[in-house]
Amino acid sequence: MNRALTLDDLVLAGIALAAGLVLAFMSRTLLRWLAKHAKRTRWSGDDVIVDALRSVVPWAAITGGAAAAAAVLPLTRTVQHHVDEVLQVWLIVVVTFSAARVIAGLVRSVTQSRSGVAGSATIFVNITRVLVLAIGFLVVLQTLGISIAPLLTALGVGGLAVALALQDTLANLFAGIHILASKTVQPGDYIRLSSGEDGYVVDINWRQTTVRQLSNNLVVIPNGQLAKANMTNYTRPEQQLTVLVQVGVSYDSDLEHVERVTGEVVAETMADVAGAVPDHEPAVRFHTFGDSRIGFTVILGVGEFSDQYRIKHEFIKRLHRRYRAEGIRIPAPTRTVTVQQSGPVIPQQRGGGSVLTGDAAVVDQDGPADRSSSRR
């Protein structure tokens, strides 16, 4: 336009800007109301979407008002073109960051919903965020009239050099993707490596896996090492598991009575202790004639790996109390020491005292509860 700027142009531009601001305020108020209702739902994805819209919609309204104000002003074609480009780039940037937030939030909600114990797999979150931001950056370049074909070519050639320089990093990245895709390990699982590390998987990111031990310490394991290690997953294929408790009773015990009493204690423990499996069927299995006892195994059902310590604790206390009430004896290991001497016993005087000399043999024997000593 070649005409001069008038007061009417300024009034119309001000009205356009004010309309954009009012629309932004109203939309933000409406989205705040929607956010309160979204928190009441069980799905966390609607919270992420509404939170992202609270950033996009107001800025889009302001950008629209600015574009309308620029359209009514008598700007030259070149200035108008630059203003439109700036507004377009600004809107693309806002939409890109909001889209990255939405997609990353949805991925995080999905990974958390599939975890056994509130964990997060940030490797997928970071990958999706980087991809969305990269696409938005390419769109901005295209909007500004910059050709992206040479850039993609340069990235392809430079990517080979970067891949050679970052072999270990890329190995850990793809190992982490493989671990999550194969579902052998997920955040929230309790694992134990052949090297001895164990704990709950807290996070699997692009380079490493973080494991929280029961002592609340964090162990950081590279993804490549985790993929190659022999590992036991105590959460899969199901979270419930069984634990074994070794018990022994004396030979004069009535084994039918012992089995019945032990089963009652197991059922009582399963019903009363938190973390136990109430419908677990009591199982008692005799297996060994020991030196001073008949050994058997009690099988307990626990809902989750860390619950086994509390359940064992309560079961042993209740079983010991019940055995004492029923008169069932748990024998302690004993040892009989027999001292045998061969040859004459010759007293000798040494240093004001006497000692016995002769050949002697000491024989240790495990036996019943009494201890005897004989000397020949």
Side-chain angles (χ1 to χ4, degrees), residues 9-10 12-24 57-75 79-80 82-88 90-91:
D9 296 332
L10 294 177
L12 292 176
I15 293 174
L17 285 175
L21 293 174
V22 171
L23 183 59
V57 176
W59 283 112
I62 295 174
T63 304
V72 300
L73 292 175
L75 303 177
V79 175
Q80 183 69 40
H82 290 312
V83 170
D84 292 340
E85 279 189 345
V86 170
L87 293 177
Q88 289 177 8
W90 173 250
L91 187 59

Side-chain angles (χ1 to χ4, degrees), residues 38-178:
K39 291 181 180 179
R40 302 176 183 175
T41 62
R42 299 180 58 183
W43 184 50
S44 60
D46 53 358
D47 298 334
V48 177
I49 295 174
V50 173
D51 182 64
L53 290 177
R54 291 176 62 180
S55 301
V56 175
V57 176
W59 283 112
I62 295 174
T63 304
V72 300
L73 292 175
L75 303 177
T76 62
R77 181 174 300 179
T78 302
V79 175
Q80 183 69 40
H81 176 71
H82 290 312
V83 170
D84 292 340
E85 279 189 345
V86 170
L87 293 177
Q88 289 177 8
V89 168
W90 173 250
L91 187 59
I92 291 172
V93 169
V94 172
V95 172
T96 300
F97 278 96
S98 299
R101 182 189 302 176
V102 170
I103 297 176
L106 292 177
V107 171
R108 183 181 292 108
S109 64
V110 171
T111 56
Q112 288 180 347
S113 64
R114 296 180 61 183
S115 302
V117 178
S120 62
T122 58
I123 181 173
F124 288 148
V125 176
N126 293 333
I127 289 176
T128 53
R129 182 183 290 114
V130 170
L131 288 177
V132 173
L133 293 178
I135 293 174
F137 177 71
L138 294 178
V139 173
V140 168
L141 294 180
Q142 193 71 26
T143 303
L144 295 175
I146 301 174
S147 178
I148 62 175
L151 178 61
L152 295 178
T153 304
L155 289 176
V157 175
L160 180 60
V162 173
L164 293 176
L166 300 177
Q167 291 185 18
D168 294 339
T169 301
L170 293 177
N172 289 326
L173 172 63
F174 289 109
I177 296 175
H178 170 72

Side-chain angles (χ1 to χ4, degrees), residues 55-347:
S55 301
V56 175
V57 176
W59 283 112
I62 295 174
T63 304
V72 300
L73 292 175
L75 303 177
T76 62
R77 181 174 300 179
T78 302
V79 175
Q80 183 69 40
H81 176 71
H82 290 312
V83 170
D84 292 340
E85 279 189 345
V86 170
L87 293 177
Q88 289 177 8
V89 168
W90 173 250
L91 187 59
I92 291 172
V93 169
V94 172
V95 172
T96 300
F97 278 96
S98 299
R101 182 189 302 176
V102 170
I103 297 176
L106 292 177
V107 171
R108 183 181 292 108
S109 64
V110 171
T111 56
Q112 288 180 347
S113 64
R114 296 180 61 183
S115 302
V117 178
S120 62
T122 58
I123 181 173
F124 288 148
V125 176
N126 293 333
I127 289 176
T128 53
R129 182 183 290 114
V130 170
L131 288 177
V132 173
L133 293 178
I135 293 174
F137 177 71
L138 294 178
V139 173
V140 168
L141 294 180
Q142 193 71 26
T143 303
L144 295 175
I146 301 174
S147 178
I148 62 175
L151 178 61
L152 295 178
T153 304
L155 289 176
V157 175
L160 180 60
V162 173
L164 293 176
L166 300 177
Q167 291 185 18
D168 294 339
T169 301
L170 293 177
N172 289 326
L173 172 63
F174 289 109
I177 296 175
H178 170 72
I179 290 172
L180 290 175
S182 62
K183 299 180 181 180
T184 55
V185 178
Q186 297 288 322
D189 292 353
Y190 192 95
I191 63 173
R192 174 174 293 163
L193 303 183
S194 57
S195 55
E197 296 88 352
D198 63 341
Y200 289 102
V201 178
V202 177
D203 185 26
I204 303 177
N205 58 28
W206 60 275
R207 182 183 179 276
Q208 62 202 17
T209 298
T210 304
V211 175
R212 178 176 56 83
Q213 296 180 320
L214 295 179
S215 59
N216 211 27
N217 297 323
L218 294 181
V219 179
V220 179
I221 306 171
N223 292 334
Q225 179 179 342
L226 182 64
K228 294 185 294 184
N230 295 329
M231 176 184 59
T232 303
N233 192 331
Y234 291 95
T235 308
R236 299 181 184 276
E238 60 181 13
Q239 194 170 3
Q240 292 183 359
L241 67 155
T242 57
V243 294
L244 308 180
V245 179
Q246 304 299 327
V247 190
V249 294
S250 62
Y251 277 91
D252 57 358
S253 302
D254 183 356
L255 297 186
E256 294 293 338
H257 180 60
V258 170
E259 183 176 7
R260 179 179 59 81
V261 170
T262 306
E264 292 175 357
V265 175
V266 172
E268 177 187 347
T269 305
M270 293 295 99
D272 297 343
V273 181
V277 181
D279 56 351
H280 172 74
E281 182 179 357
V284 179
R285 299 293 182 264
F286 295 96
H287 55 73
T288 304
F289 287 101
D291 294 328
S292 59
R293 67 181 65 192
I294 296 178
F296 60 94
T297 299
V298 181
I299 304 175
L300 305 175
V302 299
E304 195 262 329
F305 184 85
S306 61
D307 293 333
Q308 63 175 305
Y309 304 104
R310 179 175 61 257
I311 295 172
K312 283 183 179 180
H313 169 77
E314 289 295 332
F315 171 72
I316 291 175
K317 289 198 307 181
R318 297 181 184 209
L319 187 66
H320 182 262
R321 182 169 59 249
R322 183 68 182 277
Y323 276 8
R324 293 185 64 181
E326 297 288 340
I328 300 174
R329 191 165 59 90
I330 303 176
T334 60
R335 171 168 293 181
T336 300
V337 179
T338 303
V339 180
Q340 297 178 346
Q341 288 185 332
S342 60
V345 179
I346 303 174

Side-chain angles (χ1 to χ4, degrees), residues 17-36:
L17 285 175
L21 293 174
V22 171
L23 183 59
F25 176 78
M26 294 178 60
S27 62
R28 190 171 182 82
T29 303
L30 176 62
L31 290 172
R32 186 182 295 112
W33 177 80
L34 290 176
K36 294 180 180 179

